[in-house]
Amino acid sequence: MQSHPEGFATLEAAAEAVSAYNPHRPRPKDIGGLAKNLRKRSDGRYYWHWDPSACSKAMASLSPA
């Protein structure tokens, strides 16, 4: 979830990123389902619907002390 912090210009671009990440999974014909996992911000770009600080904290907890 840390990839593409700049977001995506379109749902199609997000679908391409998902396909590249998981190439063995068949790509759905209707990519509209991605809209529930992405949020369109005021800049018009789509961003993953998650809290980056939560992910950073989780990654930090995995680092050796």
Side-chain angles (χ1 to χ4, degrees), residues 5-29:
E6 73 284 1
F8 304 96
T10 63
L11 285 177
E12 180 66 31
E16 286 296 323
V18 171
S19 292
Y21 176 77
N22 197 354
H24 301 295
R25 184 176 180 182
R27 184 176 171 171
K29 293 180 192 227

Side-chain angles (χ1 to χ4, degrees), residues 3-56:
S3 64
H4 303 283
E6 73 284 1
F8 304 96
T10 63
L11 285 177
E12 180 66 31
E16 286 296 323
V18 171
S19 292
Y21 176 77
N22 197 354
H24 301 295
R25 184 176 180 182
R27 184 176 171 171
K29 293 180 192 227
D30 178 12
I31 60 171
L34 273 175
K36 65 183 171 185
N37 297 317
L38 298 164
R39 295 297 181 259
K40 192 172 187 179
R41 294 189 188 164
S42 60
D43 63 0
R45 296 183 66 80
Y46 291 90
Y47 295 85
W48 293 116
H49 178 60
W50 58 282
D51 181 357
S53 65
C55 190
S56 296

